[in-house]
Amino acid sequence: MEETTFALPATPKQIAYARALALRNQTLLPWDVQQDRQSLSAWIDAQARMKPAKALDSLPSSKQVAFAERLARIKRRAVPDECFRDKGLMSKWIDGNR
């Protein structure tokens, strides 16, 4: 007798959780992974272990902001608004205004 195995479809809860993980990690959820329960479970396990991409990592530190504001007062200038949204820009502004 020939034994055949059928892959079970992924549950709606699995797919919803996988989509949330994909959004958190800023990655794509492959279509072929969504087709069966076992491969989706393996994908979820791998994504759950990943460190989430944080929007706060790109923001300047409080020490950077304080130093830039102190420099701005001394130089009688304003720190550009875009510098408060990006750590690299803040660093460049500080270096240019020392």
Side-chain angles (χ1 to χ4, degrees):
M1 202 159 110
E2 192 175 308
E3 186 178 321
T4 58
T5 59
F6 295 101
L8 294 173
T11 65
K13 283 186 178 184
Q14 263 187 319
I15 292 174
Y17 182 58
R19 286 182 180 156
L21 283 174
L23 185 62
R24 181 190 84 172
N25 294 340
Q26 296 180 350
T27 187
L28 294 174
L29 177 58
W31 177 254
D32 57 327
V33 169
Q34 298 179 47
Q35 300 309 307
D36 73 284
R37 194 175 294 180
Q38 189 175 10
S39 63
L40 186 58
S41 181
W43 187 89
I44 286 173
D45 290 341
Q47 292 296 316
R49 278 189 242 108
M50 288 180 64
K51 182 179 177 184
K54 294 183 182 177
L56 297 177
D57 288 345
S58 65
L59 295 176
S61 68
S62 60
K63 287 185 179 184
Q64 253 186 327
V65 171
F67 186 66
E69 288 175 340
R70 192 172 36 212
L71 276 175
R73 275 194 304 273
I74 292 169
K75 301 270 185 168
R76 297 181 186 196
R77 294 183 186 159
V79 179
D81 289 336
E82 59 269 7
C83 292
F84 290 102
R85 292 188 288 268
D86 185 52
K87 185 184 295 188
L89 288 175
M90 182 65 83
S91 178
K92 287 180 184 177
W93 188 89
I94 289 170
D95 290 343
N97 288 285
R98 281 192 171 185

